[in-house]
Amino acid sequence: MQNNQSPRSNSESNSNFEKEPFRIRKAEMADMDGIMAVMYEAQNDKTHPDWFVSDDEEYVRAHMKEHGFVIVAQAADDSVAGFFLIKYPANRADNLGIYLDFDEEQLSHIAVMDSAVVSSTCRGNGLQGRMLEAAERFLDTEQYYYLMCTIHPDNQFSRHNMESHGYKVQKTALCYGGLPRCILLKDLTGVHKSFEGIAKSDK
């Protein structure tokens, strides 16, 4: 998962929540401009430039149509406050299960929590966690029961958020053209392979 979010203070969070109630729902094509506006904001964030690798509109459209789906947080003024893109990678080269030596059968059951971004003005309202929970409810867990994501090792906020929802770091590797990422897995089968001994950084 790519995410550039950092926490805000409790006072900011409470004030913002009172002014901005949010509706969490599955995205529609009409949300594209709002999604891309949030994407571009994250892309231009200079605070942690290596935490987030942005995608273009074609990529987002492809996942909304057939390769996954997108969850959005809709603000009271109907604007898109944040989005969470879920990817069905199947056996393509971008399947994160390859990093954990999954076989072909396992690779076909992976869903990737790919990109999560919340607008800077709406952070502190728990939107990332709420969108993640909605995404998991929309998933067909009969088909997709290995849920994976990536997080920059220094992004403690997003890591804590994902770990609090049952995701566990299995390995640190170089992804996206050489950027360091923790690779997390949430195994819904209840009996997953032990990855002890492979949680070493790739050099």
Side-chain angles (χ1 to χ4, degrees):
M1 177 186 66
Q2 302 300 308
N3 183 282
N4 71 332
Q5 186 176 348
S6 56
R8 302 182 71 185
S9 69
N10 288 336
S11 60
E12 286 178 301
S13 173
N14 292 338
S15 174
N16 204 29
F17 182 78
E18 290 172 2
K19 293 184 293 185
E20 295 280 357
F22 301 96
R23 177 188 174 203
I24 310 299
R25 59 174 175 81
K26 203 168 186 178
E28 303 171 350
M29 284 299 173
D31 298 310
M32 186 60 64
D33 288 348
I35 291 171
M36 295 311 299
V38 176
M39 181 86 74
Y40 294 143
E41 180 191 0
Q43 182 180 6
N44 294 322
D45 184 354
K46 306 303 181 185
T47 306
H48 304 291
D50 57 343
W51 283 17
F52 182 75
V53 178
S54 64
D55 300 307
D56 58 23
E57 184 172 329
E58 181 180 359
Y59 181 89
V60 178
R61 285 184 180 276
H63 287 81
M64 288 178 69
K65 288 180 178 179
E66 57 182 327
H67 299 312
F69 60 93
V70 181
I71 297 295
V72 293
Q74 178 183 328
D77 62 1
D78 293 334
S79 65
V80 174
F83 71 88
F84 208 130
L85 189 150
I86 289 76
K87 175 170 63 177
Y88 301 146
N91 296 328
R92 294 189 293 275
D94 60 350
N95 194 316
L96 293 177
I98 293 174
Y99 289 96
L100 302 184
D101 298 323
F102 274 21
D103 60 30
E104 292 299 312
E105 171 65 17
Q106 290 173 306
L107 291 176
S108 68
H109 296 293
I110 288 175
V112 176
M113 309 293 107
D114 190 53
S115 298
V117 184
V118 175
S119 173
S120 60
T121 59
C122 299
R123 293 174 190 166
N125 291 295
L127 294 181
Q128 180 181 324
R130 291 171 60 188
M131 289 190 292
L132 173 61
E133 290 164 7
E136 292 185 351
R137 288 195 297 269
F138 277 110
L139 278 172
D140 176 5
T141 55
E142 293 294 321
Q143 172 65 30
Y144 301 104
Y145 40 79
Y146 298 120
L147 312 185
M148 299 188 68
C149 70
T150 64
I151 298 173
H152 190 282
D154 295 334
N155 191 343
Q156 294 300 314
F157 177 81
S158 288
R159 176 169 173 174
H160 173 75
N161 188 48
M162 298 304 290
E163 289 181 332
S164 70
H165 284 83
Y167 292 75
K168 298 180 180 180
V169 175
Q170 305 296 332
K171 188 175 186 178
T172 301
L174 298 178
C175 308
Y176 315 117
L179 297 176
R181 291 292 187 268
C182 295
I183 298 173
L184 291 82
L185 170 70
K186 181 174 183 177
D187 185 351
L188 301 181
T189 66
V191 185
H192 75 77
K193 166 186 176 182
S194 171
F195 293 103
E196 293 182 2
I198 66 170
K200 297 180 180 178
S201 299
D202 286 358
K203 303 294 185 181

